[in-house]
Amino acid sequence: MSSRYPLLNERIYAPYKIAALVEVLAEQGIPAEKSLDGSGIEPDQIYDASVMTSVRQYMTVCRNAIELSTDPATPFKTGSRLHLAAYGMYGYALMSCLSLRDYFRLGVKYHRLATPTLIIEWTEFPDRAVWTFPNAFASNPSREVQRFLLEQQYTQHVNHLQDVAGHTSPPMLARFSYPAPAHASIYSEYLGCPCEFDAEQCELVYDSAILEQKPQLAHKHSAAMLQETCDRLIGQSKTSVGASGEVYQVLMSKPGEFPDMERVAATLKMTSRTLRRRLESEGTSFLAILDDVRSSLAMEYLRTTKLTTEDVAMLLGFSDTANFRRALKRWTGKAATEIREQ
């Protein structure tokens, strides 16, 4: 099973990874303002739960870390302080799952919710369970950034399995598809296992005997509820690419505001005419995407909040409640009360 590449500009992730990296750099005497330079994020935003960030913004901070830090352990230190509790529903779903096999499976299934910077896969063999990172060097032009991300990702994996299992459970082996760097000795210190370089692919190997182990917080009811929530969040996270995906991201980042096509085009650094032409080539239009955004938000507000139907209509930019009710019927075939009951 494998995950998918994220939309790099999609601002749907809480800034917990950025905060962890900024903290590590601050301990080295690097000011937060310098760590965040060029990311579009202010220092007071990294602990704000309402702020949403993108994979691209996180990669910008990683590039800054490479330029500013002289400590090669920076990505390892960052990964080691990223515990699953910082990941919201994704983290709690993994911690409450009923076996470590489920943990491996769900880690891939819901990876898109965790500010993913790499594709991950896992495969079960008779004697081992293997995380792999295919095309690890295909998604970013800088090999330094890619190595930084892998060093952090491996450390996170080791840390997260310990969070779930409730005890130290190091991998048997870590393989890397690049030559051993000057700081190669740091790898085994943080990963707790032998490390091989110049391997055929990047992978983290565990003994398959651990797969039947029960996580320390395993709970059947909580697991079902949290996995259902993650399924819903995954469904809301659009996987469209190209101009239509970019427009969707911009509109979803400004719920209640809904900028017009001219403003969205300016945000994407193109003219409205160019944007219209690109959307047409993808078989859609600005109004169709706006309609999709409103539909998604309407369902979310009605299912998860106590806002009145009138309030929801206002938040979605409808001139009156009657128009919203008609749109809701067109989107779902149901009335607001029926959706709330579900």
Side-chain angles (χ1 to χ4, degrees):
M1 181 184 292
S2 67
S3 59
R4 302 178 66 176
Y5 281 123
L7 293 171
L8 296 183
N9 294 323
E10 193 171 22
R11 296 195 183 192
I12 59 173
Y13 307 107
Y16 51 87
K17 284 188 177 180
I18 293 173
L21 180 50
V22 170
E23 288 171 1
V24 170
L25 295 173
E27 291 166 3
Q28 300 171 23
I30 300 170
E33 291 80 4
K34 288 190 175 181
S35 299
L36 296 168
D37 185 44
S39 69
I41 304 167
E42 299 298 327
D44 61 350
Q45 293 181 309
I46 62 175
Y47 300 110
D48 187 340
S50 68
V51 172
M52 295 289 102
T53 61
S54 69
V55 171
R56 192 179 298 282
Q57 287 176 301
Y58 179 62
M59 286 185 174
T60 297
V61 182
C62 290
R63 290 190 190 92
N64 293 342
I66 292 169
E67 294 176 3
L68 297 169
S69 176
T70 58
D71 183 358
T74 294
F76 298 95
K77 291 178 178 179
T78 303
S80 65
R81 69 174 60 191
L82 283 167
H83 292 278
L84 278 174
Y87 287 69
M89 289 296 177
Y90 169 81
Y92 293 121
L94 297 187
M95 288 191 288
S96 66
C97 63
L98 303 183
S99 71
L100 292 189
R101 179 177 283 104
D102 279 348
Y103 161 74
F104 275 77
R105 178 178 62 83
L106 297 174
V108 172
K109 181 179 180 181
Y110 299 138
H111 186 224
R112 185 171 170 76
L113 300 175
T115 324
T117 55
L118 300 162
I119 283 181
I120 63 170
E121 298 178 350
W122 91 280
T123 306
E124 181 179 351
F125 298 94
D127 61 339
R128 65 196 188 281
V130 184
W131 294 110
T132 55
F133 307 87
N135 302 318
F137 290 90
S139 62
N140 192 285
S142 167
R143 294 188 70 83
E144 282 188 311
V145 171
Q146 291 153 349
R147 190 180 69 190
F148 185 101
L149 294 172
L150 278 166
E151 290 169 343
Q152 180 188 304
Q153 188 73 42
Y154 273 57
T155 313
Q156 286 174 214
H157 275 271
V158 172
N159 203 34
H160 292 171
L161 184 59
Q162 182 171 325
D163 287 343
V164 174
H167 55 79
T168 302
S169 187
M172 296 193 300
L173 178 66
R175 291 192 176 101
F176 301 87
S177 63
Y178 50 84
H183 58 281
S185 61
I186 295 176
Y187 282 64
S188 57
E189 176 185 340
Y190 281 91
L191 302 182
C193 67
C195 298
E196 294 180 357
F197 297 90
D198 284 318
E200 186 174 330
Q201 65 178 343
C202 294
E203 58 184 26
L204 199 55
V205 184
Y206 283 90
D207 187 335
S208 62
I210 71 171
L211 296 178
E212 298 299 334
Q213 290 182 20
K214 185 177 181 179
Q216 62 173 337
L217 298 178
H219 190 278
K220 190 172 183 178
H221 177 72
S222 295
M225 179 183 67
L226 290 165
Q227 289 170 36
E228 181 181 344
T229 300
C230 286
D231 285 334
R232 177 169 55 81
L233 292 172
I234 284 286
Q236 293 169 359
S237 181
K238 297 297 178 178
T239 58
S240 56
V241 296
S244 55
E246 296 286 345
V247 170
Y248 189 95
Q249 294 161 34
V250 172
L251 293 175
M252 283 297 282
S253 71
K254 301 177 182 296
E257 183 178 337
F258 302 124
D260 58 23
M261 187 163 70
E262 284 68 26
R263 288 171 59 196
V264 171
T267 300
L268 299 177
K269 296 182 174 19
M270 65 179 75
T271 66
S272 58
R273 183 178 179 180
T274 298
L275 177 57
R276 182 181 293 105
R277 186 171 64 250
R278 290 188 180 181
L279 293 177
E280 288 175 353
S281 71
E282 295 173 12
T284 188
S285 68
F286 181 82
L287 291 179
I289 298 171
L290 177 58
D291 197 54
D292 188 9
V293 169
R294 281 175 160 175
S295 172
S296 298
L297 290 174
M299 298 296 286
E300 180 68 10
Y301 291 147
L302 292 172
R303 285 174 173 169
T304 64
T305 76
K306 295 183 179 180
L307 290 169
T308 66
T309 303
E310 290 74 18
D311 288 338
V312 173
M314 182 184 67
L315 284 172
L316 296 178
F318 284 89
S319 57
D320 59 59
T321 307
N323 285 336
F324 170 61
R325 294 183 192 278
R326 283 192 289 272
L328 194 62
K329 197 73 173 178
R330 173 169 56 82
W331 292 328
T332 67
K334 295 180 174 66
T337 52
E338 294 177 275
I339 294 171
R340 289 191 191 278
E341 288 171 358
Q342 289 179 328

Short mmCIF file of all heavy atoms in Angstrom, two decimals, residues 7 9-12 243-261 263-269 275 286 289-290 293:
data_model
loop_
_atom_site.label_atom_id
_atom_site.label_comp_id
_atom_site.label_asym_id
_atom_site.label_seq_id
_atom_site.Cartn_x
_atom_site.Cartn_y
_atom_site.Cartn_z
N LEU A 7 -0.49 17.99 -2.64
CA LEU A 7 -0.44 19.25 -3.38
C LEU A 7 0.44 20.19 -2.57
O LEU A 7 0.13 20.51 -1.43
CB LEU A 7 -1.84 19.83 -3.56
CG LEU A 7 -2.78 19.01 -4.46
CD1 LEU A 7 -4.20 19.57 -4.38
CD2 LEU A 7 -2.29 19.02 -5.89
N ASN A 9 1.09 23.31 -2.47
CA ASN A 9 0.62 24.61 -2.01
C ASN A 9 -0.66 24.54 -1.19
O ASN A 9 -1.21 25.57 -0.81
CB ASN A 9 0.39 25.54 -3.20
CG ASN A 9 1.69 25.88 -3.91
OD1 ASN A 9 2.72 26.06 -3.27
ND2 ASN A 9 1.67 25.94 -5.23
N GLU A 10 -1.14 23.35 -0.92
CA GLU A 10 -2.41 23.18 -0.23
C GLU A 10 -2.26 23.51 1.25
O GLU A 10 -1.59 22.78 2.00
CB GLU A 10 -2.88 21.73 -0.40
CG GLU A 10 -4.31 21.50 -0.02
CD GLU A 10 -4.77 20.11 -0.43
OE1 GLU A 10 -3.92 19.22 -0.62
OE2 GLU A 10 -5.98 19.92 -0.57
N ARG A 11 -2.86 24.57 1.71
CA ARG A 11 -2.71 25.01 3.11
C ARG A 11 -3.79 24.36 3.97
O ARG A 11 -4.82 24.97 4.27
CB ARG A 11 -2.80 26.53 3.20
CG ARG A 11 -1.66 27.23 2.46
CD ARG A 11 -1.56 28.69 2.86
NE ARG A 11 -0.52 29.37 2.10
CZ ARG A 11 -0.04 30.58 2.39
NH1 ARG A 11 -0.53 31.24 3.43
NH2 ARG A 11 0.90 31.12 1.65
N ILE A 12 -3.50 23.12 4.39
CA ILE A 12 -4.48 22.38 5.20
C ILE A 12 -3.83 21.75 6.42
O ILE A 12 -4.47 20.98 7.14
CB ILE A 12 -5.17 21.29 4.37
CG1 ILE A 12 -4.14 20.30 3.82
CG2 ILE A 12 -6.01 21.90 3.26
CD1 ILE A 12 -4.76 19.10 3.13
N ALA A 243 -4.41 23.81 -12.45
CA ALA A 243 -5.04 25.07 -12.05
C ALA A 243 -6.27 24.84 -11.18
O ALA A 243 -6.51 25.59 -10.22
CB ALA A 243 -5.42 25.87 -13.30
N SER A 244 -7.06 23.80 -11.46
CA SER A 244 -8.27 23.56 -10.67
C SER A 244 -7.92 23.25 -9.22
O SER A 244 -8.59 23.71 -8.29
CB SER A 244 -9.09 22.42 -11.28
OG SER A 244 -8.31 21.25 -11.43
N GLY A 245 -6.86 22.47 -9.02
CA GLY A 245 -6.43 22.17 -7.66
C GLY A 245 -5.95 23.41 -6.93
O GLY A 245 -6.25 23.61 -5.75
N GLU A 246 -5.21 24.27 -7.63
CA GLU A 246 -4.72 25.49 -7.01
C GLU A 246 -5.87 26.42 -6.62
O GLU A 246 -5.86 27.02 -5.54
CB GLU A 246 -3.77 26.21 -7.98
CG GLU A 246 -2.51 25.44 -8.32
CD GLU A 246 -1.50 25.43 -7.19
OE1 GLU A 246 -1.65 26.24 -6.26
OE2 GLU A 246 -0.56 24.63 -7.24
N VAL A 247 -6.87 26.54 -7.49
CA VAL A 247 -8.03 27.38 -7.18
C VAL A 247 -8.77 26.83 -5.98
O VAL A 247 -9.16 27.58 -5.07
CB VAL A 247 -8.97 27.48 -8.40
CG1 VAL A 247 -10.28 28.15 -8.02
CG2 VAL A 247 -8.31 28.24 -9.53
N TYR A 248 -8.95 25.53 -5.94
CA TYR A 248 -9.65 24.91 -4.80
C TYR A 248 -8.91 25.23 -3.50
O TYR A 248 -9.53 25.57 -2.49
CB TYR A 248 -9.73 23.39 -5.01
CG TYR A 248 -10.62 22.70 -4.01
CD1 TYR A 248 -11.95 22.43 -4.30
CD2 TYR A 248 -10.14 22.33 -2.76
CE1 TYR A 248 -12.78 21.83 -3.37
CE2 TYR A 248 -10.95 21.73 -1.83
CZ TYR A 248 -12.27 21.47 -2.14
OH TYR A 248 -13.08 20.87 -1.20
N GLN A 249 -7.59 25.13 -3.52
CA GLN A 249 -6.80 25.40 -2.32
C GLN A 249 -6.99 26.84 -1.84
O GLN A 249 -7.14 27.11 -0.65
CB GLN A 249 -5.33 25.13 -2.60
CG GLN A 249 -5.00 23.67 -2.87
CD GLN A 249 -3.68 23.52 -3.59
OE1 GLN A 249 -2.74 24.29 -3.36
NE2 GLN A 249 -3.59 22.54 -4.46
N VAL A 250 -6.94 27.79 -2.79
CA VAL A 250 -7.08 29.19 -2.42
C VAL A 250 -8.45 29.45 -1.79
O VAL A 250 -8.57 30.11 -0.76
CB VAL A 250 -6.88 30.11 -3.65
CG1 VAL A 250 -7.22 31.56 -3.31
CG2 VAL A 250 -5.44 30.00 -4.15
N LEU A 251 -9.49 28.91 -2.41
CA LEU A 251 -10.85 29.14 -1.91
C LEU A 251 -11.06 28.48 -0.55
O LEU A 251 -11.69 29.05 0.35
CB LEU A 251 -11.88 28.62 -2.91
CG LEU A 251 -11.95 29.38 -4.25
CD1 LEU A 251 -12.91 28.68 -5.20
CD2 LEU A 251 -12.38 30.83 -4.03
N MET A 252 -10.52 27.26 -0.37
CA MET A 252 -10.68 26.57 0.91
C MET A 252 -9.89 27.24 2.02
O MET A 252 -10.21 27.09 3.20
CB MET A 252 -10.27 25.11 0.77
CG MET A 252 -11.29 24.24 0.07
SD MET A 252 -12.88 24.11 0.96
CE MET A 252 -12.45 22.95 2.25
N SER A 253 -8.86 27.98 1.66
CA SER A 253 -8.05 28.66 2.68
C SER A 253 -8.71 29.93 3.17
O SER A 253 -8.26 30.53 4.15
CB SER A 253 -6.66 28.99 2.11
OG SER A 253 -6.74 30.03 1.16
N LYS A 254 -9.80 30.36 2.51
CA LYS A 254 -10.48 31.60 2.90
C LYS A 254 -11.99 31.37 3.04
O LYS A 254 -12.79 32.05 2.40
CB LYS A 254 -10.20 32.69 1.86
CG LYS A 254 -8.73 33.02 1.67
CD LYS A 254 -8.52 34.06 0.58
CE LYS A 254 -7.05 34.35 0.36
NZ LYS A 254 -6.41 34.96 1.55
N PRO A 255 -12.39 30.39 3.87
CA PRO A 255 -13.83 30.13 4.01
C PRO A 255 -14.55 31.35 4.55
O PRO A 255 -14.09 32.01 5.48
CB PRO A 255 -13.88 28.97 5.01
CG PRO A 255 -12.59 29.04 5.75
CD PRO A 255 -11.59 29.55 4.76
N GLY A 256 -15.71 31.66 3.94
CA GLY A 256 -16.47 32.83 4.36
C GLY A 256 -16.09 34.08 3.60
O GLY A 256 -16.83 35.06 3.60
N GLU A 257 -14.95 34.05 2.92
CA GLU A 257 -14.51 35.23 2.17
C GLU A 257 -14.75 35.05 0.68
O GLU A 257 -15.28 35.93 0.01
CB GLU A 257 -13.01 35.47 2.42
CG GLU A 257 -12.47 36.71 1.74
CD GLU A 257 -11.01 36.92 2.05
OE1 GLU A 257 -10.53 36.42 3.09
OE2 GLU A 257 -10.33 37.58 1.24
N PHE A 258 -14.34 33.90 0.13
CA PHE A 258 -14.55 33.55 -1.27
C PHE A 258 -14.15 34.67 -2.23
O PHE A 258 -15.00 35.35 -2.82
CB PHE A 258 -16.01 33.15 -1.51
CG PHE A 258 -16.45 32.00 -0.66
CD1 PHE A 258 -17.55 32.13 0.17
CD2 PHE A 258 -15.76 30.79 -0.67
CE1 PHE A 258 -17.95 31.07 0.98
CE2 PHE A 258 -16.16 29.74 0.13
CZ PHE A 258 -17.26 29.87 0.95
N PRO A 259 -12.85 34.89 -2.43
CA PRO A 259 -12.40 35.91 -3.37
C PRO A 259 -12.87 35.57 -4.79
O PRO A 259 -13.07 34.40 -5.14
CB PRO A 259 -10.87 35.82 -3.27
CG PRO A 259 -10.60 34.45 -2.72
CD PRO A 259 -11.74 34.15 -1.81
N ASP A 260 -13.05 36.61 -5.61
CA ASP A 260 -13.51 36.38 -6.98
C ASP A 260 -12.35 35.88 -7.84
O ASP A 260 -11.21 35.77 -7.38
CB ASP A 260 -14.13 37.65 -7.57
CG ASP A 260 -13.16 38.84 -7.59
OD1 ASP A 260 -11.92 38.61 -7.56
OD2 ASP A 260 -13.63 39.98 -7.62
N MET A 261 -12.65 35.58 -9.10
CA MET A 261 -11.64 34.97 -9.96
C MET A 261 -10.45 35.88 -10.18
O MET A 261 -9.30 35.41 -10.28
CB MET A 261 -12.25 34.56 -11.31
CG MET A 261 -11.28 33.75 -12.16
SD MET A 261 -12.05 32.85 -13.52
CE MET A 261 -12.49 34.20 -14.59
N ARG A 263 -9.11 38.01 -8.10
CA ARG A 263 -8.24 37.97 -6.91
C ARG A 263 -7.53 36.63 -6.80
O ARG A 263 -6.35 36.56 -6.43
CB ARG A 263 -9.05 38.25 -5.65
CG ARG A 263 -9.49 39.71 -5.52
CD ARG A 263 -10.46 39.89 -4.38
NE ARG A 263 -9.89 39.49 -3.11
CZ ARG A 263 -10.60 39.26 -2.00
NH1 ARG A 263 -11.91 39.38 -2.04
NH2 ARG A 263 -10.00 38.92 -0.88
N VAL A 264 -8.24 35.55 -7.12
CA VAL A 264 -7.61 34.23 -7.08
C VAL A 264 -6.50 34.15 -8.12
O VAL A 264 -5.40 33.65 -7.85
CB VAL A 264 -8.65 33.12 -7.31
CG1 VAL A 264 -7.96 31.77 -7.48
CG2 VAL A 264 -9.64 33.06 -6.15
N ALA A 265 -6.77 34.67 -9.32
CA ALA A 265 -5.76 34.67 -10.38
C ALA A 265 -4.52 35.46 -9.94
O ALA A 265 -3.38 35.03 -10.18
CB ALA A 265 -6.35 35.26 -11.66
N ALA A 266 -4.75 36.60 -9.28
CA ALA A 266 -3.62 37.40 -8.80
C ALA A 266 -2.81 36.63 -7.76
O ALA A 266 -1.57 36.68 -7.75
CB ALA A 266 -4.14 38.72 -8.21
N THR A 267 -3.51 35.90 -6.89
CA THR A 267 -2.83 35.08 -5.89
C THR A 267 -1.95 34.03 -6.56
O THR A 267 -0.85 33.71 -6.09
CB THR A 267 -3.86 34.38 -4.98
OG1 THR A 267 -4.64 35.37 -4.31
CG2 THR A 267 -3.17 33.50 -3.95
N LEU A 268 -2.43 33.49 -7.67
CA LEU A 268 -1.69 32.46 -8.41
C LEU A 268 -0.72 33.05 -9.42
O LEU A 268 -0.12 32.32 -10.21
CB LEU A 268 -2.68 31.53 -9.11
CG LEU A 268 -3.65 30.77 -8.19
CD1 LEU A 268 -4.62 29.94 -9.01
CD2 LEU A 268 -2.87 29.89 -7.22
N LYS A 269 -0.60 34.40 -9.39
CA LYS A 269 0.34 35.11 -10.26
C LYS A 269 0.06 34.86 -11.75
O LYS A 269 0.96 34.49 -12.53
CB LYS A 269 1.78 34.73 -9.89
CG LYS A 269 2.17 35.16 -8.48
CD LYS A 269 3.60 34.82 -8.18
CE LYS A 269 4.07 35.36 -6.84
NZ LYS A 269 3.11 35.74 -5.85
N LEU A 275 -6.19 32.12 -16.28
CA LEU A 275 -6.79 31.16 -15.35
C LEU A 275 -8.04 30.53 -15.96
O LEU A 275 -8.22 29.30 -15.89
CB LEU A 275 -7.14 31.85 -14.03
CG LEU A 275 -7.83 30.97 -12.99
CD1 LEU A 275 -6.99 29.74 -12.66
CD2 LEU A 275 -8.13 31.78 -11.73
N PHE A 286 -14.28 28.35 -12.85
CA PHE A 286 -14.15 28.94 -11.52
C PHE A 286 -15.45 28.76 -10.73
O PHE A 286 -15.42 28.40 -9.55
CB PHE A 286 -13.81 30.42 -11.64
CG PHE A 286 -13.62 31.11 -10.31
CD1 PHE A 286 -12.42 31.02 -9.63
CD2 PHE A 286 -14.67 31.83 -9.73
CE1 PHE A 286 -12.25 31.63 -8.40
CE2 PHE A 286 -14.51 32.44 -8.51
CZ PHE A 286 -13.31 32.35 -7.84
N ILE A 289 -15.84 25.21 -9.37
CA ILE A 289 -14.99 24.94 -8.21
C ILE A 289 -15.53 25.64 -6.98
O ILE A 289 -15.56 25.07 -5.87
CB ILE A 289 -13.54 25.37 -8.50
CG1 ILE A 289 -12.98 24.57 -9.68
CG2 ILE A 289 -12.67 25.19 -7.27
CD1 ILE A 289 -11.64 25.07 -10.18
N LEU A 290 -15.98 26.88 -7.12
CA LEU A 290 -16.58 27.60 -6.01
C LEU A 290 -17.80 26.86 -5.48
O LEU A 290 -18.00 26.75 -4.26
CB LEU A 290 -16.97 29.01 -6.46
CG LEU A 290 -17.69 29.89 -5.41
CD1 LEU A 290 -16.84 30.05 -4.16
CD2 LEU A 290 -18.05 31.25 -6.01
N VAL A 293 -16.56 23.98 -3.39
CA VAL A 293 -16.07 24.45 -2.09
C VAL A 293 -17.24 24.73 -1.16
O VAL A 293 -17.25 24.31 0.01
CB VAL A 293 -15.19 25.70 -2.26
CG1 VAL A 293 -14.90 26.34 -0.91
CG2 VAL A 293 -13.90 25.34 -2.97
#
